[in-house]
Amino acid sequence: MRLRAPLTAAALAASLLPALPAAAQIGTVTVRSPRPFGLFLGDRFGATVEIEAADGFVPQAASLPKAGPLTYWLDLTGLSVAAGPLLPNGNRLWRLSLAYQTFYAALDVRRLDIPAFTVTFASDSARATTSATAEVPTWPILVSPLREIQPPPVADPVDYLRPESPVPRRDPGPARALAWAFAALGLAGLALLARDRAWWPLHRRPARAFAAAARQVRRLAARPEDEAAYRAALLALHRGLDRTDGRRVMGEDLADFLGRHPAYGALAQPLGRFFAASRAAFFGRDPAAARRAWPFPDLVATARRLAAAERAGPPAGNGGTP
């Protein structure tokens, strides 16, 4: 019994150690600011808080100030925490980098105090968790007005007045003439483009027979499953060939047609497929087979290429019959 009593007292003392005040675990707290003066409305500035804490104590994120408005004239825009070196006294240096922005509209040079805050440090040991708090004090900044409130005093108040600045009068004639000239050039360019592309109202010309056929084929291609639309598209391309050559062009006449119109020589193979599909669609026993062998996309592409070759080649001299 004599040996057990001292052991019980020592165990009781050890259990009470984590609950003892931990203020001694926090050392000095230093606030450093590179420019706490000459600040204007909207300026951003920073500060560094250095806190000495016993090794093993770590700042708790929940106790750090949150970014956002601190007062009606001050916002905290950023905060970062970094562990510094281990000091000779056994403490570790922690650095808090804070970024502020002031919105104080000063009427004169004014001193303002940045609000104080508290940072909680905690150390997790095998027995229990010990915490300590570091008080970061307020520190001042000096804000300045953007401009003077009053002008310098003068003997005669009339001296404050300034004459009105004369507004130069400019002649709008040259600018108006230049605008009309550019508008005329733009309309002329648009007319030339419409003629080249055979747009309305210039599309009803014998020299642009394939352009009209290509437009009709594109409209009919909106019904790719309609056999009647397919036959009408083939007929539109037939009429384009007839108007271009000034006569009826059959499959047997393709070589003579290309000889008379060399601008379409590169389209000999697609035109051969066109005549084969036309023969199967109008005279064959299975018109649907023609549409499967030479579908609408090929028909549209051939009509577009014929229209492009028509624009690039020399205009036809005869109108032909529809």
Side-chain angles (χ1 to χ4, degrees):
M1 295 298 295
R2 293 181 182 178
L3 294 177
R4 183 175 300 178
L7 290 176
T8 303
L12 180 61
S15 64
L16 292 177
L17 281 178
L20 294 177
Q25 307 297 341
I26 301 300
T28 59
V29 178
T30 306
V31 180
R32 305 182 189 276
S33 179
R35 187 172 69 91
F37 55 84
L39 301 174
F40 295 93
L41 173 66
D43 276 359
R44 296 175 180 268
F45 60 97
T48 302
V49 178
E50 296 181 348
I51 303 175
E52 293 185 17
D55 190 23
F57 278 77
V58 178
Q60 301 301 293
S63 67
L64 298 173
K66 302 297 184 295
L70 300 180
T71 65
Y72 73 94
W73 56 269
L74 184 67
D75 280 7
L76 178 64
T77 60
L79 171 66
S80 62
V81 181
L86 194 62
L87 302 177
N89 58 5
N91 291 342
R92 184 172 296 279
L93 189 65
W94 290 88
R95 291 189 177 90
L96 279 64
S97 299
L98 303 107
Y100 295 95
Q101 186 174 16
T102 175
F103 297 97
Y104 190 84
L107 301 179
D108 54 6
V109 178
R110 188 67 57 93
R111 168 181 168 156
L112 301 173
D113 290 330
I114 304 300
F117 59 91
T118 301
V119 180
T120 301
F121 285 75
S123 174
D124 293 332
S125 63
R127 295 174 177 269
T129 300
T130 303
S131 62
T133 58
E135 301 289 339
V136 179
T138 62
W139 52 280
I141 59 172
L142 297 178
V143 295
S144 302
L146 292 175
R147 59 183 179 87
E148 293 179 327
I149 301 302
Q150 294 181 354
V154 294
D156 188 359
V158 180
D159 294 338
Y160 289 122
L161 302 179
R162 294 291 183 270
E164 294 183 358
S165 300
V167 179
R169 302 183 64 85
R170 300 182 182 274
D171 183 13
R176 186 184 297 113
L178 191 62
W180 281 111
F182 280 119
L185 288 175
L187 289 176
L190 183 61
L192 291 175
L193 180 63
R195 183 181 183 280
D196 179 72
R197 297 289 179 173
W199 291 343
W200 185 91
L202 303 177
H203 64 284
R204 297 186 182 275
R205 292 184 299 155
R208 291 294 185 262
F210 283 129
R215 282 193 298 271
Q216 188 174 358
V217 168
R218 283 198 301 270
R219 288 194 299 268
L220 294 169
R223 296 177 291 164
E225 302 300 329
D226 190 349
E227 185 175 332
Y230 183 77
R231 292 163 63 94
L234 291 174
L235 189 60
L237 204 55
H238 270 295
R239 293 297 175 257
L241 289 167
D242 295 345
R243 293 190 183 100
T244 300
D245 201 33
R247 70 196 75 188
R248 296 295 183 185
V249 180
M250 306 302 291
E252 296 77 8
D253 305 326
L254 178 58
D256 296 336
F257 172 83
L258 296 178
R260 291 188 295 269
H261 304 279
Y264 309 105
L267 295 169
Q269 181 179 0
L271 286 174
R273 294 183 61 194
F274 158 71
F275 279 109
S278 176
R279 187 178 298 108
F282 290 106
F283 305 105
R285 296 184 179 180
D286 188 7
R291 186 155 45 93
R292 291 193 299 269
W294 204 56
F296 250 124
D298 294 344
L299 181 56
V300 173
T302 300
R304 186 181 295 114
R305 292 180 62 187
L306 286 169
E310 182 181 52
R311 290 194 301 269
N318 50 357
T321 60

